[in-house]
Amino acid sequence: MRDLIINGTEKLNIPLNDAQVNKLTNYAKLLVEWNEKINLTAITDNEGIATKHFLDSLTALQTGHVKGRVIDVGTGAGFPGMVLKIARPEIELTLLDSLNKRINFLREVESELNLDGVEYVHARAEDGGRDRQYRGQFDTVVSRAVANLTVLSEWCIPYLKRSGYFLALKGPLADEELKDARRAISILGGKIEDVFEADIPFTDLKHKIIIIKKVGQTPLKYPRKAGIATKTPLGTCYNISK
């Protein structure tokens, strides 16, 4: 695993020191151990963890927008947020997830890896986005494999400061999702700035990171209450008529 991480980060032009590589290998061990008790990931082999979790998460750094106060919405087992914190310890990281057992795992990771500056929020994305403590407070929002972009934008853009960036780590359906999400992104005060193509070293995976800049205010009625964004995606004909 060490060689995969070292060689992979070199290919991404994101060099890590020995201490950071050690933290990632220890993170992998904790992930496998905890996964026997709670469902964190279907990927448990060393190569899969190194490439599909760690290197994939690190591609967000290639955008140049991971800085300042960062929140990972729907972090799950800590991807990409915790990996970004290991690679860039200077960021102030908030990890938000709706399941407390995942938060407990991430607290253990933080403790075992001697990380500093990590905050945890046990909440649904919609509830956190309406909380004044978190709404409009972040320079960067990251999220990976949580929901389609229309829904995800409603959950994530409210957390951003004006001129902050939302990085949505997406798979092969990114372009189709983006087409459907354009109106929602505009309503929420966002502007599509770029679609960054990310090759994952030592795999055939070609992921895309949709980069959205916060250029206006998000109307106070968004995000809507839990479940509504999924049932009635923002920007549909139904919403426009209302």
Side-chain angles (χ1 to χ4, degrees), residues 139-153:
D139 301 288
T140 309
V141 178
V142 294
S143 193
R144 188 185 82 145
V146 173
N148 73 66
L149 187 62
T150 301
V151 174
L152 197 59
S153 294

Side-chain angles (χ1 to χ4, degrees), residues 105-124:
F105 164 69
L106 294 169
R107 289 184 185 277
E108 178 74 7
V109 172
E110 179 192 16
S111 175
E112 289 293 325
L113 303 187
N114 294 314
L115 300 176
D116 294 313
V118 183
E119 180 184 8
Y120 303 91
V121 181
H122 174 216
R124 294 182 65 109

Side-chain angles (χ1 to χ4, degrees), residues 31-91:
L31 179 67
V32 172
E33 290 173 5
W34 275 69
N35 203 59
E36 295 178 359
K37 299 179 288 184
I38 63 174
N39 182 26
L40 292 168
T41 178
I43 300 169
T44 56
D45 63 291
N46 284 343
E47 181 177 354
I49 293 172
T51 57
K52 296 177 183 178
H53 283 327
F54 294 165
L55 297 181
D56 185 26
S57 294
L58 288 170
T59 59
L61 295 176
Q62 295 182 306
T63 68
H65 296 305
V66 179
K67 52 191 172 184
R69 195 174 180 197
V70 179
I71 185 169
D72 181 359
V73 175
T75 187
F79 309 124
M82 191 67 88
V83 179
L84 298 175
K85 177 65 175 178
I86 292 169
R88 295 290 183 269
E90 69 274 11
I91 66 173

Side-chain angles (χ1 to χ4, degrees), residues 137-240:
Q137 299 299 311
F138 294 90
D139 301 288
T140 309
V141 178
V142 294
S143 193
R144 188 185 82 145
V146 173
N148 73 66
L149 187 62
T150 301
V151 174
L152 197 59
S153 294
E154 183 171 347
W155 290 351
C156 292
I157 291 176
Y159 288 95
L160 284 173
K161 299 176 181 176
R162 192 184 290 264
S163 297
Y165 286 90
F166 167 35
L167 308 178
L169 282 68
K170 286 289 180 181
L173 298 178
D175 292 333
E176 182 179 331
E177 288 189 29
L178 183 56
K179 181 180 178 181
D180 293 339
R182 286 183 179 276
R183 179 168 175 80
I185 291 167
S186 177
I187 291 170
L188 294 161
K191 178 183 178 182
I192 301 160
E193 187 158 288
D194 196 9
V195 178
F196 181 85
E197 297 193 3
D199 294 338
I200 313 304
F202 313 120
T203 76
D204 294 327
L205 300 174
K206 293 183 180 294
H207 287 180
K208 293 185 178 182
I209 302 175
I210 299 172
I211 303 173
I212 297 169
K213 186 175 182 180
K214 181 78 170 283
V215 295
Q217 287 292 107
T218 300
L220 290 176
K221 60 184 176 181
Y222 303 117
R224 292 166 291 171
K225 292 182 179 180
I228 296 178
T230 304
K231 294 177 182 177
T232 311
L234 183 60
T236 62
C237 293
Y238 174 86
N239 278 287
I240 293 169

